[in-house]
């Protein structure tokens, strides 16, 4: 039995656990091997901190897969041979050390193609088909509007209106125009801030969700297509 250590960024430990669970599945059908042969590999999931604590005792013959984009993992993958690259998802290896990571989030104009590709490999993961939950997010504008109101009040206070008991009508008209200009300017700025805040919020949340989908897809794809080669099982059958 081969032993695999899966080292993950803390935030990506879910996918190391997912891969470990896939490895432990009894999913072969007769003579047909799905992923790797049932019972052929034992996997452990470590965080980078656990890896750092044990690195000195790890044999050079030990299989290790790194998942993520941390500085440690980027250093590890410098000389690894890329075996798969599509829709921002990548994996590769050199010798007994491999890496699996999402380099970039799928852009909006490629998202439908990515979903079609992903569902070929993980039709049971329904989250990948819930496109509307990824691409739609209500705008949150309350804080921005409140800030705009404060800015309008400040603009009025700063307007050049002197407290005179008998101000001439022209002075009042000029002051009113000045206040109106400042108010319109502040409202326009507020509207731009609302749009930007909404776009930033949508982009940040969507990017995280789409990256999660990519890691889910990549984990299953690596299990189905890459793990056997990485662990050397394909060479053993030649």
């Amino acid at each position: 039995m081969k032993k695999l250590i899966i080292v993950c960024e803390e935030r990506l430990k879910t996918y190391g656990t997912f891969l470990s669970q896939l490895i432990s599945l009894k999913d072969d059908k007769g003579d047909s091997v799905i992923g790797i042969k049932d019972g052929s590999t034992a996997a452990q999931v470590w965080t980078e901190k656990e890896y750092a604590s044990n690195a000195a005792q790890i044999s050079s013959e030990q299989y290790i897969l790194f998942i993520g984009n941390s500085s440690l993992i980027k250093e590890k993958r410098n000389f690894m041979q890329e075996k798969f690259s599509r829709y921002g998802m990548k994996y590769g290896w050199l010798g007994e050390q491999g890496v699996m990571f999402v380099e970039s989030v799928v852009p909006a104009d490629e998202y439908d193609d990515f979903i079609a590709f992903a569902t070929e490999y993980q039709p049971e993961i329904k989250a990948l088909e819930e496109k509307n939950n990824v691409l739609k997010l209500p705008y949150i504008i309350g804080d921005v509007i409140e800030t705009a109101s404060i800015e309008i009040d400040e603009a009025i206070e700063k307007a050049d209106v002197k407290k005179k008991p008998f101000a001439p009508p022209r002075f009042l008209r000029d002051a009113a125009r000045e206040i109106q200009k400042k108010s319109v300017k502040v409202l326009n700025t507020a509207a731009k801030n609302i749009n930007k805040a909404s776009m930033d919020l949508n982009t940040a949340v969507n990017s995280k969700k789409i990256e999660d989908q990519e890691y889910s897809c990549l984990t299953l794809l690596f299990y189905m297509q890459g793990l056997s080669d990485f662990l050397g099982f394909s060479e053993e059958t030649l």
Side-chain angles (χ1 to χ4, degrees), residues 150-164:
I150 294 172
E151 291 178 354
I152 290 171
D153 291 339
E154 290 176 350
I156 293 173
E157 288 178 7
K158 291 177 181 178
D160 191 21
V161 181
K162 298 179 181 178
K163 294 181 180 180
K164 293 183 179 180

Side-chain angles (χ1 to χ4, degrees), residues 7 9 12 66-70 73 77 99-102 215:
V7 180
E9 279 188 65
L12 300 174
F66 297 90
I67 300 178
N69 261 322
S70 69
I73 297 174
R77 74 188 194 213
V99 68
M100 188 181 87
F101 62 99
V102 171
Y215 269 111

Side-chain angles (χ1 to χ4, degrees), residues 206-218:
N206 289 344
S207 293
K208 177 63 172 65
K209 287 185 177 181
I210 293 171
E211 185 188 50
D212 286 343
Q213 292 177 342
E214 288 176 284
Y215 269 111
S216 294
C217 175
L218 182 60

Side-chain angles (χ1 to χ4, degrees), residues 55-110:
Q57 287 76 43
I58 298 176
S59 165
S60 60
E61 297 180 355
Q62 169 67 56
Y63 285 98
I64 306 174
L65 176 71
F66 297 90
I67 300 178
N69 261 322
S70 69
S71 55
L72 167 68
I73 297 174
K74 285 179 179 178
E75 180 182 340
K76 291 289 184 182
R77 74 188 194 213
N78 272 340
F79 302 102
M80 291 188 186
Q81 298 171 358
E82 188 175 283
K83 303 294 183 178
F84 172 84
S85 177
R86 196 166 182 186
Y87 296 112
M89 304 177 292
K90 299 190 176 208
Y91 66 70
W93 57 81
L94 184 63
E96 278 68 45
Q97 294 195 2
V99 68
M100 188 181 87
F101 62 99
V102 171
E103 186 174 55
S104 60
V105 171
V106 177
D109 60 350
E110 295 181 17

Side-chain angles (χ1 to χ4, degrees), residues 10-50:
E10 186 66 42
R11 69 185 182 91
L12 300 174
K13 192 172 181 179
T14 297
Y15 304 104
T17 301
F18 179 32
L19 180 58
S20 176
Q21 291 170 337
L22 290 171
I23 290 171
S24 69
L25 285 176
K26 304 298 182 185
D27 55 358
D28 292 346
K29 298 177 180 179
D31 294 332
S32 178
V33 174
I34 297 176
I36 57 173
K37 188 175 180 180
D38 292 352
S40 64
T41 303
Q44 287 182 294
V45 182
W46 287 1
T47 62
E48 289 181 293
K49 188 174 181 180
E50 289 170 323

